[in-house]
Every structure is written in structure tokens, then in C-alpha cells.
Amino acid sequence: MSLRIVVCVKYVPDATGDRHFADDLTVDREDVDGLLSELDEYAVEQALQIAEGRRQGGDDAEVTVLTVGPEDAKDALRKALSMGADKAVHVEDDDLHGTDVIGTSLVLAKAVEKTGYDLVVCGMASTDGTMGVLPALLSERLGVPQVTLLSEVSVEDGKVTGRRDGDAATEQLEAALPAVVSVTDQSGEARYPSFKGIMAAKKKPVQSLDLDDLDIDADEVGLGGSWTKVDDAAERPARTAGTIVKDEGEGAKQLAEFLAGQKFI
Ligand SMILES: Cc1cc2nc3c(=O)[nH]c(=O)nc-3n(C[C@H](O)[C@H](O)[C@H](O)COP(=O)(O)OP(=O)(O)OC[C@H]3O[C@@H](n4cnc5c(N)ncnc54)[C@H](O)[C@@H]3O)c2cc1C
């Protein structure tokens, strides 16, 4: 029987470029370069490895990548498809503007259910919001177990198993499928798309869904439906030039005074 894996991938503003807030204090996602969140590349990699293992064992598997995001989020889907995913689902709707993590989890849960799944794989956190809570919210909405922050993951006999490395202990975890997992950046290097993969991705199906397709009312999402609200935001001040201390015999003293003044010592 085919194992249906859905990987949640997020399109995020490129952290090396200029990032801004829009007038309504949401992150400006329209006028900035974006990319597939690097932490989600690990999720795609683990999903591909699970699918490849199944196929080698004579079983079938299908990897669908799913994003909720603006038009340009298709770039993130294309990258995941060029890595080897089989198909993609893009949820886009003007009414999603301003949706917080609670709303995003609703949209993702409905899209995952519509797609059909045995296993949902997420990254450990996005590289812009970095809350790391979405996988837990998603499992709650779907009513299935969550096994999060795995640095090793495998699927066998209708179960997902994995290793979670914590500060104080290493845990070996398992859950019956269907389930939601998240994987860390310690789970194994993500592959680079090959030229063949990039060409093949152009022909792979990308399904577009909007809120109507998912039976979600506009007032459940967007700024109006969000449980959280940004009251104020200010750009980080530009870096000022550092202080250069010329050592004329008093260098060490001046250095110590500087560190003490900054409360480092
Ligand atoms: C167009 C748009 C506008 C938004 N506006 C706001 C806003 O105004 N205020 C606000 O609080 N939030 C907003 N969001 C939602 C926010 O960017 C996050 O998607 C959401 O809050 C999840 O939080 P996080 O990024 O910290 O996820 P984390 O919990 O850190 O993410 C963990 C994992 O969940 C998955 N994931 C997270 N987000 C997505 C996604 N969008 N699609 C697919 N998989 C995902 C990934 O696998 C990721 O690695 C907006 C999102 C979009 C796309």
C-alpha cells in the first residue's frame, strides 16, 4: 500500500536581504526576495529518504509538498519538487493576509486532510517566525499523535519511530500512523537538486487551493481571525561604528572598563 507523506514547507523572506514590516505591521512578503526555509529542506530530505526506502523494499510511497503562502511561494514548492518530491499543493488566498499561527494551522490541517496522508513531516521551526509550534497545533487539529524534534526518523509496520536528542537525555519515540513529525537540522544533510531534478520539477503537478476549496470562512483567518496582534514594531537601529582603543600603556585598563561598562564582567 502506498505511504502518503505530506511535507509542510514555508516560503520565507531571504534573511540576507532587506526585510520590512508593511504598514499594517505584518511582515512584508510581497516586495522581498524569498526562498524555501532552509530548515524545511531537512524535512523534505527525510520524507524523500523514507519514500526511497519504501520503494527499495517493493512498497509504494508518494511525497506531496504543501505550502500556505503568497504567489511567490511556488518557488519554495519548485525547489522541493526539484529535490525529488512527487507533487505540490499551494494554498493561496487574499484573505490569508495577516493570518497568525493558529489560523495557519487550521489552513494546513484542512489542506492535509484534503490531500490525504499517513505521515506529515515538518521542519523544527521556520526561519522567519521561528515559533516551532506549528507541528503541535497541526497534530491537535488533525487529532493524531505528534513526535517532534527528531534527529532520526523511520517508518515501519504502520509506525513512525525516531530519536530526539535533548540536553539531558536522548529519547527513542514511536507513534502509530497517521502522525505528525518534525525533524531537526541534525537529521542529515539535505540534497541539492540535480539538473535532471530541476527539469523534472517543471512537469510535476502543483495544485492550487483557496479558502473556498478548504471550506474555511474568511473570518477564521486573516488579521481579523488572528488570536495575536502586533501593536508596535520598529526597525533595529543601524549598527554604529565601534570604539578603537589605541594601546599607549593603558589598553588593558580601558578594555576592562569598557567590558565592565557593558556589564560583560
Ligand atoms: C502570506 C502570509 C501572511 C502572514 N501574516 C502573518 C501575520 O500577520 N502575523 C502572524 O503572526 N503570522 C502571519 N503569517 C503566518 C506565519 O508566517 C507563520 O506561517 C505561522 O505563524 C507559523 O509560525 P512559524 O513560522 O513560527 O512556524 P513554526 O512553528 O516555527 O514552523 C514549524 C514548521 O511548520 C511548517 N510551517 C510553518 N508555516 C508554514 C506555512 N505557511 N506553510 C507550510 N508549512 C509551514 C514548516 O514545516 C515549519 O518548519 C503569515 C503567513 C503568510 C504565508
Side-chain angles (χ1 to χ4, degrees), residues 70-95:
E71 170 66 22
D72 288 348
K74 284 201 171 64
D75 291 353
L77 295 175
R78 285 278 165 227
K79 169 110 189 244
L81 290 172
S82 65
M83 288 170 73
D86 301 296
K87 62 190 180 75
V89 176
H90 181 198
V91 185
E92 189 199 3
D93 196 300
D94 287 347
D95 288 326

CSV table of all heavy atoms in Angstrom, one decimal, residues 70-95:
chain,number,residue,atom,x,y,z
A,70,PRO,N,2.0,33.3,-0.3
A,70,PRO,CA,1.7,34.1,-1.5
A,70,PRO,C,2.1,33.5,-2.8
A,70,PRO,O,2.7,32.4,-2.8
A,70,PRO,CB,2.5,35.4,-1.2
A,70,PRO,CG,3.6,35.0,-0.3
A,70,PRO,CD,3.1,33.9,0.5
A,71,GLU,N,1.8,34.1,-3.9
A,71,GLU,CA,2.1,33.6,-5.2
A,71,GLU,C,3.5,33.1,-5.4
A,71,GLU,O,3.8,32.0,-5.8
A,71,GLU,CB,1.8,34.7,-6.3
A,71,GLU,CG,2.2,34.5,-7.7
A,71,GLU,CD,1.5,33.4,-8.4
A,71,GLU,OE1,0.4,33.0,-7.9
A,71,GLU,OE2,2.1,32.8,-9.3
A,72,ASP,N,4.5,33.9,-4.9
A,72,ASP,CA,5.9,33.6,-5.0
A,72,ASP,C,6.2,32.3,-4.2
A,72,ASP,O,7.3,31.8,-4.4
A,72,ASP,CB,6.8,34.7,-4.5
A,72,ASP,CG,6.7,35.9,-5.5
A,72,ASP,OD1,6.2,35.7,-6.6
A,72,ASP,OD2,7.2,37.0,-5.2
A,73,ALA,N,5.4,31.9,-3.3
A,73,ALA,CA,5.7,30.7,-2.5
A,73,ALA,C,5.8,29.4,-3.4
A,73,ALA,O,6.4,28.4,-3.0
A,73,ALA,CB,4.6,30.4,-1.5
A,74,LYS,N,5.3,29.6,-4.7
A,74,LYS,CA,5.5,28.5,-5.6
A,74,LYS,C,7.0,28.2,-5.8
A,74,LYS,O,7.4,27.0,-6.1
A,74,LYS,CB,4.9,28.9,-7.0
A,74,LYS,CG,3.4,28.8,-7.0
A,74,LYS,CD,2.9,28.7,-8.5
A,74,LYS,CE,1.4,28.4,-8.5
A,74,LYS,NZ,0.6,29.4,-7.9
A,75,ASP,N,7.9,29.2,-5.6
A,75,ASP,CA,9.3,28.9,-5.7
A,75,ASP,C,9.8,27.9,-4.7
A,75,ASP,O,10.7,27.1,-5.0
A,75,ASP,CB,10.1,30.2,-5.5
A,75,ASP,CG,9.9,31.3,-6.6
A,75,ASP,OD1,9.3,30.9,-7.6
A,75,ASP,OD2,10.4,32.4,-6.4
A,76,ALA,N,9.2,28.0,-3.5
A,76,ALA,CA,9.6,27.0,-2.5
A,76,ALA,C,9.2,25.6,-2.9
A,76,ALA,O,9.9,24.6,-2.7
A,76,ALA,CB,9.0,27.4,-1.1
A,77,LEU,N,8.0,25.5,-3.5
A,77,LEU,CA,7.4,24.2,-3.9
A,77,LEU,C,8.3,23.7,-5.0
A,77,LEU,O,8.6,22.5,-5.0
A,77,LEU,CB,6.0,24.4,-4.4
A,77,LEU,CG,5.0,24.8,-3.3
A,77,LEU,CD1,3.6,25.0,-3.9
A,77,LEU,CD2,4.9,23.7,-2.2
A,78,ARG,N,8.7,24.5,-6.0
A,78,ARG,CA,9.5,24.1,-7.1
A,78,ARG,C,10.9,23.5,-6.6
A,78,ARG,O,11.4,22.5,-7.1
A,78,ARG,CB,9.8,25.2,-8.1
A,78,ARG,CG,8.7,25.6,-8.9
A,78,ARG,CD,8.5,24.7,-10.2
A,78,ARG,NE,7.2,24.9,-10.7
A,78,ARG,CZ,6.3,23.9,-11.1
A,78,ARG,NH1,6.6,22.7,-11.0
A,78,ARG,NH2,5.1,24.2,-11.5
A,79,LYS,N,11.4,24.2,-5.6
A,79,LYS,CA,12.7,23.7,-5.1
A,79,LYS,C,12.5,22.3,-4.5
A,79,LYS,O,13.3,21.4,-4.7
A,79,LYS,CB,13.2,24.7,-4.0
A,79,LYS,CG,14.4,24.2,-3.2
A,79,LYS,CD,15.7,24.9,-3.5
A,79,LYS,CE,16.9,24.2,-2.9
A,79,LYS,NZ,17.5,25.0,-1.9
A,80,ALA,N,11.4,22.1,-3.7
A,80,ALA,CA,11.2,20.8,-3.1
A,80,ALA,C,10.9,19.8,-4.1
A,80,ALA,O,11.3,18.6,-4.0
A,80,ALA,CB,10.0,20.9,-2.1
A,81,LEU,N,10.2,20.2,-5.2
A,81,LEU,CA,9.9,19.2,-6.3
A,81,LEU,C,11.2,18.9,-7.0
A,81,LEU,O,11.4,17.7,-7.4
A,81,LEU,CB,8.9,19.8,-7.3
A,81,LEU,CG,7.5,20.0,-6.8
A,81,LEU,CD1,6.7,20.8,-7.8
A,81,LEU,CD2,6.8,18.6,-6.5
A,82,SER,N,12.1,19.8,-7.1
A,82,SER,CA,13.4,19.6,-7.8
A,82,SER,C,14.3,18.7,-7.0
A,82,SER,O,15.1,18.0,-7.5
A,82,SER,CB,14.1,20.8,-8.3
A,82,SER,OG,14.5,21.6,-7.2
A,83,MET,N,14.1,18.7,-5.7
A,83,MET,CA,14.8,17.8,-4.8
A,83,MET,C,14.3,16.3,-5.0
A,83,MET,O,15.0,15.4,-4.7
A,83,MET,CB,14.7,18.2,-3.3
A,83,MET,CG,15.5,19.5,-3.0
A,83,MET,SD,15.0,20.1,-1.3
A,83,MET,CE,15.9,18.9,-0.3
A,84,GLY,N,13.0,16.2,-5.4
A,84,GLY,CA,12.5,14.8,-5.6
A,84,GLY,C,11.1,14.6,-5.2
A,84,GLY,O,10.6,13.5,-5.4
A,85,ALA,N,10.4,15.6,-4.6
A,85,ALA,CA,9.0,15.4,-4.2
A,85,ALA,C,8.2,15.1,-5.5
A,85,ALA,O,8.6,15.5,-6.6
A,85,ALA,CB,8.5,16.6,-3.4
A,86,ASP,N,7.1,14.4,-5.3
A,86,ASP,CA,6.3,14.0,-6.4
A,86,ASP,C,5.3,15.0,-6.9
A,86,ASP,O,5.0,15.2,-8.1
A,86,ASP,CB,5.5,12.7,-6.1
A,86,ASP,CG,6.5,11.6,-5.7
A,86,ASP,OD1,7.2,11.2,-6.6
A,86,ASP,OD2,6.5,11.2,-4.5
A,87,LYS,N,4.7,15.7,-5.9
A,87,LYS,CA,3.7,16.7,-6.3
A,87,LYS,C,3.6,17.8,-5.2
A,87,LYS,O,4.1,17.6,-4.2
A,87,LYS,CB,2.3,16.1,-6.6
A,87,LYS,CG,1.7,15.4,-5.5
A,87,LYS,CD,0.5,14.6,-6.0
A,87,LYS,CE,-0.3,13.8,-5.0
A,87,LYS,NZ,-1.1,14.6,-4.0
A,88,ALA,N,2.8,18.9,-5.6
A,88,ALA,CA,2.8,20.0,-4.6
A,88,ALA,C,1.4,20.5,-4.5
A,88,ALA,O,0.6,20.4,-5.4
A,88,ALA,CB,3.7,21.1,-5.1
A,89,VAL,N,1.1,21.1,-3.3
A,89,VAL,CA,-0.2,21.8,-3.1
A,89,VAL,C,0.1,23.2,-2.6
A,89,VAL,O,0.9,23.4,-1.6
A,89,VAL,CB,-1.0,21.0,-2.1
A,89,VAL,CG1,-2.3,21.8,-1.8
A,89,VAL,CG2,-1.3,19.6,-2.6
A,90,HIS,N,-0.5,24.2,-3.2
A,90,HIS,CA,-0.2,25.6,-2.8
A,90,HIS,C,-1.6,26.2,-2.4
A,90,HIS,O,-2.5,26.3,-3.2
A,90,HIS,CB,0.3,26.4,-4.1
A,90,HIS,CG,0.6,27.8,-3.8
A,90,HIS,ND1,0.8,28.7,-4.8
A,90,HIS,CD2,0.8,28.5,-2.6
A,90,HIS,CE1,1.0,29.9,-4.2
A,90,HIS,NE2,1.0,29.8,-2.9
A,91,VAL,N,-1.6,26.6,-1.1
A,91,VAL,CA,-2.8,27.3,-0.6
A,91,VAL,C,-2.6,28.8,-0.7
A,91,VAL,O,-1.6,29.3,0.0
A,91,VAL,CB,-3.2,26.9,0.8
A,91,VAL,CG1,-4.5,27.6,1.2
A,91,VAL,CG2,-3.3,25.4,0.9
A,92,GLU,N,-3.4,29.5,-1.5
A,92,GLU,CA,-3.2,30.9,-1.6
A,92,GLU,C,-4.6,31.6,-1.7
A,92,GLU,O,-5.5,31.1,-2.4
A,92,GLU,CB,-2.4,31.2,-2.9
A,92,GLU,CG,-2.0,32.7,-3.1
A,92,GLU,CD,-1.7,33.0,-4.5
A,92,GLU,OE1,-1.8,32.2,-5.4
A,92,GLU,OE2,-1.3,34.2,-4.7
A,93,ASP,N,-4.7,32.7,-0.9
A,93,ASP,CA,-6.0,33.4,-0.9
A,93,ASP,C,-5.7,34.8,-0.4
A,93,ASP,O,-5.0,34.9,0.6
A,93,ASP,CB,-7.0,32.7,0.0
A,93,ASP,CG,-8.4,33.1,-0.3
A,93,ASP,OD1,-8.7,34.3,-0.1
A,93,ASP,OD2,-9.2,32.2,-0.7
A,94,ASP,N,-6.3,35.8,-1.0
A,94,ASP,CA,-6.1,37.2,-0.5
A,94,ASP,C,-6.5,37.3,1.0
A,94,ASP,O,-5.9,38.1,1.7
A,94,ASP,CB,-6.9,38.2,-1.3
A,94,ASP,CG,-6.2,38.4,-2.7
A,94,ASP,OD1,-5.1,37.9,-2.9
A,94,ASP,OD2,-6.9,39.0,-3.6
A,95,ASP,N,-7.5,36.6,1.4
A,95,ASP,CA,-8.0,36.7,2.8
A,95,ASP,C,-7.0,36.1,3.8
A,95,ASP,O,-7.2,36.2,5.0
A,95,ASP,CB,-9.3,36.0,2.9
A,95,ASP,CG,-10.4,36.9,2.3
A,95,ASP,OD1,-10.3,38.1,2.3
A,95,ASP,OD2,-11.4,36.3,1.7
